[in-house]
Amino acid sequence: MKNIIVIFCLLVAGLFYSCDEGNKAVYEPDSIVESTDPISVYFRENFLKPYGTAVRWQWVDRYVDDSKRVTPPFRDVCVPMGEFLKQFWLEPFMITESGTKFMKDHFPPEIVFVGSKMYNSDGESITLGYADAGVRITFTQVNEYDLTNKEWLLLQLRTADHEYGHIIHQRHNLPNGFKEVSPKNYKSNNWLNLAGDVQASGPRISREAISLGMVSNYGTSNENEDFCEILSIYLTSDKAEFEQRYLTHEPESAYQKIDADGNPVVDADGNPVMLDPADDAVKMNEGRDLISIKLNMIKKYYMDNFNVDLDQVRDEIMKRIDEVLNPA
Amino acid sequence: MKNILYVFVALITLFSSCDKNTDPVFDKSPEQRLSSVLSEYKAKLTQGDGYWIAYYSGSAILMKFNEDNTVEFKSTYDGGKEDKTVTYRVGASQVPELVFENYTVFQALYEANRSTGEYEFLFDHISDDRIDFISKTDLGDIKTKLTFFKGTPEDIDKVKAMIAKFAKMSFFKKVLVAGTSYEAMLITIPGEATLQVVDEDGSISSKKYDFEVTKDGLLFSPEITIDGIDVASFIYDEGKGQFIANAGGKNISIEVGAKPTAPQKGIYSDFMKTNFKVIENYSYALDSVQPLLKQDIPLLSAFQIYVQWGYVLAYAPKHVDGKWAGFSAFTFAENPDAADELLVAWDSRIYGQWWKDIYYNDGGQKLLGFILDPNGLYIMKAGLDSYYLISNSDPSQYVLVE
């Protein structure tokens, strides 16, 4: 019996030994060789190493929803686009130590460059830049790179700051109480149907949206988009323009006309020329109060959590925009 | 005895369990085999001097594939403005594919024609002198195909020479099949050919085909069907001034003539029944009209002709100074010297704020010169309410109006 047990054990050992031979055929992939393409080197040195961010500048179609049609970026614009993101998105936050830490802690792991607009399957309508699950931000229309084109510059910057806002609230939640400020005013997909355009595009803004306490039509879709729209539009707007449009109350009763120089207008008899208030003036002002409350919450949230002063960041961004649009 | 039986069972188990690993169908893993296929495809692209030429969407595209994963483009598209060097890779998503990693002339062609353009292609068949691809993104039943033909550095200049030759050829191209009575008309505008056959009852049947001018003739993809015979390519015979193909055991030729064999009776009154028409396409000889005008009028959409009201207007829907501008006081009349031909006169009146942008533009002058041909214009039926207008003085100049 003892001999049989020994033989049996030897056979079982032989079984495992012989079966092990087959495992040697398992594929071992070739080691990955780092690209020496100057553009790859640039993004490795300026984004991957300091922030752990992979910039996808070479075309891989799986990075884009397969129902969309897009074209890849020109080689010539990839590095300038990288510099643009550094100069207008990263660096304004990094003028302080805490801002630097904030950006290094939260910068997205993946950025995708798309050359064209993102055409829907009909080949005509388009989708603007977007973020996926807070990890990837896609920039469209990169081939239209032109720092002197304010519309393009703001489109890209607002995409960056808006999508970055999603990364922040997904990781740290919305500011306390933010959801309770205007909970009944969100429109879900009906944000497309708001009336009274103040600005037709980039982004679309209506009086109805402002009356609801949002800075853009898209902001009325839900509280997360509301947060990101306030953040991105605040950071990329001139202080006086933002306050005029979103914070300062407009007249709710008849008021005297003011000329372009800010002087009250009078008629030939010296009587003041009076204007009627807008029909929705009261609602607009109520909406402005809601925007003011939410904006203050966002500013406090950034200060309390990250020691980032959004006014300081906004001023730095606007200074840089002004320098590029109005060179001395 | 019982113990021996146990040992025997153990031995059987041993051999059966190992048996599955002893006879692999392939020596390599799936990953290694795929990698090997991709390497083979890349080797094919770079073989020799790495030159391949493709004909796509009205343009010839010459590519030089290099070992360092760069590809150099030269094309006939937009005067070569999209000629670039980019990186490429032979990869696999579901099946092997060729990926140009940045913007190339293929994407430029797609952006110029977004409803039908394609720019991602999967390997289909591969051989020493041609590589066939199928569109990755075409969702239609008949997938767009693209073929790379083995090329030489001189190919792009040869194509340009052939296009220049083809551009001077008359509208009137007759298709004949040797040894039969078959006769059809082939009408060509950049990228598209229409085969018109007069049926026994006198009605006209038409079928459209995509075609390209190649370095030595014409290429149809998919093949054109002539008298039941499928033909992919024609070679230009310089001596005869004809395009020749041999397919299905028959010699097929495309002969170029100066005039229509006979005017289409009553076509002038048919043409004049509808006031509003749009110039939808231009012949090779006139295909610089629209690009030249767009240099001065970037928002230009199309030219409109009002044959009863006597207007020829450019339409630019978002122009700040109005959507329309152009010329008025035209007279569209039947040529007194040739029935069913058109003679256009102009009383030199202008319309709209930006007429000068048209009038003082080389494209605008070319178009006016064509419309006001002193010898008149032939009218040929294209579809239910669409027509070709062909210059009598130079029948290589023609437009499609709908």
Side-chain angles (χ1 to χ4, degrees):
Chain A
M1 184 64 187
K2 197 176 176 183
N3 289 340
I4 289 169
I5 290 171
V6 171
I7 292 168
F8 186 77
C9 288
L10 285 172
L11 284 171
V12 170
L15 167 69
F16 283 113
Y17 177 76
S18 55
C19 285
D20 190 50
E21 288 292 307
N23 292 339
K24 287 185 178 170
V26 170
Y27 173 66
E28 290 177 16
D30 296 335
S31 58
I32 295 169
V33 179
E34 282 192 336
S35 168
T36 55
D37 188 306
I39 301 175
S40 294
V41 172
Y42 167 82
F43 284 113
R44 198 157 57 233
E45 294 301 320
N46 288 276
F47 285 85
L48 189 60
K49 285 184 181 170
Y51 307 106
T53 300
V55 177
R56 310 298 186 190
W57 62 275
Q58 290 160 301
W59 176 242
V60 178
D61 57 5
R62 70 171 183 276
Y63 292 140
V64 175
D65 179 346
D66 62 7
S67 67
K68 311 291 186 201
R69 304 292 301 273
V70 301
T71 61
F74 298 132
R75 271 183 72 87
D76 299 350
V77 300
C78 292
V79 170
M81 186 67 187
E83 285 295 293
F84 165 76
L85 295 181
K86 279 172 61 182
Q87 193 183 344
F88 288 87
W89 179 16
L90 272 160
E91 289 172 5
F93 278 92
M94 296 172 73
I95 53 177
T96 62
E97 202 175 308
S98 50
T100 302
K101 182 176 184 317
F102 170 70
M103 291 310 265
K104 288 197 169 180
D105 286 349
H106 297 91
F107 210 60
E110 200 168 40
I111 289 173
V112 177
F113 287 169
V114 164
S116 63
K117 292 172 179 160
M118 193 170 287
Y119 299 107
N120 297 324
S121 51
D122 60 6
E124 293 301 328
S125 60
I126 62 164
T127 299
L128 296 175
Y130 64 96
D132 298 318
V135 295
R136 177 192 296 158
I137 296 182
T138 302
F139 290 92
T140 62
Q141 293 168 254
V142 170
N143 287 347
E144 294 169 34
Y145 175 89
D146 178 3
L147 292 188
T148 64
N149 179 343
K150 188 178 179 184
E151 197 179 330
W152 179 89
L153 192 151
L154 288 179
L155 167 75
Q156 302 299 344
L157 206 46
R158 284 177 175 163
T159 298
D161 287 320
H162 176 107
E163 305 305 344
Y164 199 43
H166 282 305
I167 291 173
I168 301 306
H169 78 70
Q170 282 172 9
R171 194 172 320 166
H172 302 279
N173 293 324
L174 290 169
N176 283 336
F178 189 91
K179 289 182 184 174
E180 282 74 47
V181 177
S182 50
K184 293 179 181 170
N185 293 355
Y186 295 113
K187 297 288 181 187
S188 190
N189 286 337
N190 283 334
W191 70 269
L192 290 160
N193 304 319
L194 302 185
D197 275 356
V198 174
Q199 182 173 296
S201 61
R204 191 170 177 193
I205 300 165
S206 66
R207 288 182 71 84
E208 191 175 356
I210 296 172
S211 297
L212 292 165
M214 323 294 168
V215 293
S216 73
N217 290 20
Y218 189 50
T220 68
S221 53
N222 59 54
E223 55 274 307
N224 293 338
E225 301 304 342
D226 185 14
F227 171 84
C228 294
E229 283 293 272
I230 292 175
L231 180 67
S232 64
I233 292 176
Y234 182 71
L235 287 176
T236 56
S237 296
D238 174 76
K239 183 173 185 286
E241 283 177 15
F242 187 92
E243 287 177 357
Q244 165 72 20
R245 177 175 283 174
Y246 295 117
L247 302 178
T248 307
H249 279 205
E250 64 187 63
E252 295 179 5
S253 56
Y255 62 100
Q256 189 171 1
K257 187 177 179 182
I258 305 291
D259 68 17
D261 297 325
N263 302 313
V265 178
V266 292
D267 63 16
D269 301 326
N271 298 316
V273 174
M274 300 302 288
L275 298 173
D276 288 330
D279 291 342
D280 59 354
V282 173
K283 282 187 176 176
M284 285 287 284
N285 290 338
E286 287 171 358
R288 288 184 171 110
D289 291 343
L290 295 173
I291 291 171
S292 177
I293 292 168
K294 288 187 281 190
L295 176 62
N296 286 331
M297 281 182 167
I298 294 173
K299 286 185 187 179
K300 186 172 184 306
Y301 170 85
Y302 270 76
M303 182 56 79
D304 292 350
N305 287 287
F306 315 114
N307 196 22
V308 169
D309 179 349
L310 289 184
D311 286 349
Q312 196 179 18
V313 176
R314 187 269 319 274
D315 290 346
E316 184 64 26
I317 291 173
M318 295 314 296
K319 187 185 90 179
R320 291 172 184 235
I321 290 176
D322 185 56
E323 283 169 0
V324 77
L325 291 177
N326 305 299
Chain B
M1 187 63 191
K2 203 174 177 182
N3 291 338
I4 291 170
L5 182 65
Y6 289 150
V7 172
F8 182 72
V9 168
L11 279 169
I12 295 285
T13 308
L14 168 67
F15 285 114
S16 63
S17 62
C18 287
D19 190 50
K20 286 178 184 168
N21 289 333
T22 51
D23 292 322
V25 178
F26 299 103
D27 294 336
K28 296 176 180 172
S29 70
E31 289 83 358
Q32 285 170 318
R33 285 165 42 222
L34 178 61
S35 176
S36 155
V37 168
L38 300 183
S39 299
E40 181 194 327
Y41 285 3
K42 184 186 167 185
K44 190 65 75 180
L45 287 167
T46 56
Q47 78 178 9
D49 49 13
Y51 280 102
W52 294 86
I53 189 163
Y55 303 97
Y56 183 63
S57 203
S59 294
I61 302 165
L62 182 71
M63 294 153 281
K64 183 181 188 307
F65 288 88
N66 301 314
E67 275 292 341
D68 66 356
N69 296 326
T70 59
V71 53
E72 301 162 41
F73 281 89
K74 270 189 182 178
S75 81
T76 56
Y77 178 70
D78 201 9
K81 282 184 190 160
E82 300 297 341
D83 292 355
K84 299 178 193 301
T85 299
V86 302
T87 53
Y88 73 95
R89 68 173 183 272
V90 177
S93 46
Q94 291 163 330
V95 296
E97 62 183 333
L98 173 63
V99 179
F100 298 118
E101 294 186 314
N102 288 98
Y103 194 93
T104 70
V105 64
F106 282 107
Q107 280 85 12
L109 284 164
Y110 161 71
E111 289 201 315
N113 191 9
R114 290 197 302 271
S115 57
T116 56
E118 305 289 337
Y119 54 87
E120 289 185 88
F121 292 94
L122 306 171
F123 283 93
D124 186 18
H125 292 109
I126 190 160
S127 67
D128 281 345
D129 59 354
R130 65 183 282 165
I131 305 174
D132 295 311
F133 296 89
I134 296 177
S135 166
K136 186 177 180 183
T137 50
D138 188 345
L139 301 176
D141 292 335
I142 302 170
K143 306 287 184 204
T144 302
K145 291 187 174 180
L146 176 74
T147 300
F148 286 8
F149 299 95
K150 197 76 188 98
T152 69
E154 297 78 31
D155 280 354
I156 208 76
D157 290 331
K158 288 181 184 172
V159 177
K160 285 177 184 170
M162 181 56 79
I163 289 174
K165 214 173 281 177
F166 192 73
K168 288 180 187 160
M169 290 180 188
S170 157
F171 172 89
F172 304 104
K173 301 181 185 78
K174 209 160 46 175
V175 181
L176 302 168
V177 179
T180 75
S181 59
Y182 179 88
E183 185 174 323
M185 193 164 166
L186 188 74
I187 299 157
T188 54
I189 50 176
E192 186 180 280
T194 304
L195 190 71
Q196 278 192 351
V197 183
V198 181
D199 296 327
E200 286 177 1
D201 62 357
S203 62
I204 298 172
S205 60
S206 299
K207 190 166 180 192
K208 290 183 177 175
Y209 296 88
D210 291 340
F211 90 105
E212 312 287 350
V213 178
T214 66
K215 62 181 177 182
D216 52 13
L218 305 177
L219 177 70
F220 290 85
S221 179
E223 295 158 323
I224 186 170
T225 304
I226 296 169
D227 201 18
I229 304 164
D230 291 337
V231 188
S233 61
F234 287 83
I235 303 294
Y236 185 61
D237 184 324
E238 193 83 49
K240 292 180 179 171
Q242 296 176 354
F243 292 92
I244 308 284
N246 189 292
K250 298 272 175 70
N251 288 321
I252 301 167
S253 60
I254 301 171
E255 296 179 3
V256 184
K259 290 185 174 185
T261 43
Q264 293 173 344
K265 207 171 177 189
I267 197 160
Y268 169 75
S269 50
D270 278 354
F271 177 79
M272 291 299 289
K273 274 179 194 162
T274 308
N275 177 38
F276 173 69
K277 301 173 193 306
V278 175
I279 300 181
E280 291 288 350
N281 221 325
Y282 299 81
S283 68
Y284 280 96
L286 291 175
D287 70 353
S288 61
V289 167
Q290 195 94 337
L292 284 169
L293 280 161
K294 281 202 169 187
Q295 289 174 3
D296 291 332
I297 314 159
L299 297 171
L300 175 66
S301 171
F303 264 91
Q304 300 175 346
I305 299 176
Y306 299 79
V307 294
Q308 293 166 10
W309 297 347
Y311 289 99
V312 173
L313 301 177
Y315 177 59
K318 290 181 180 170
H319 199 294
V320 286
D321 294 322
K323 295 177 183 175
W324 289 273
F327 315 101
S328 64
F330 284 87
T331 307
F332 292 85
E334 189 168 18
N335 190 342
D337 300 326
D340 281 313
E341 289 181 28
L342 187 65
L343 191 63
V344 185
W346 178 39
D347 200 16
S348 299
R349 293 193 199 167
I350 47 105
Y351 179 93
Q353 289 189 45
W354 39 280
W355 65 272
K356 283 182 182 172
D357 293 344
I358 306 163
Y359 188 78
Y360 292 109
N361 179 287
D362 288 347
Q365 280 297 316
K366 203 167 189 176
L367 183 63
L368 280 175
F370 160 74
I371 292 171
L372 296 169
D373 186 338
N375 293 317
L377 301 169
Y378 297 112
I379 310 169
M380 300 291 291
K381 191 96 174 159
L384 197 58
D385 195 19
S386 59
Y387 301 86
Y388 294 103
L389 297 179
I390 306 128
S391 162
N392 190 314
S393 303
D394 176 3
S396 71
Q397 296 189 8
Y398 49 94
V399 296
L400 171 66
V401 296
E402 290 183 348

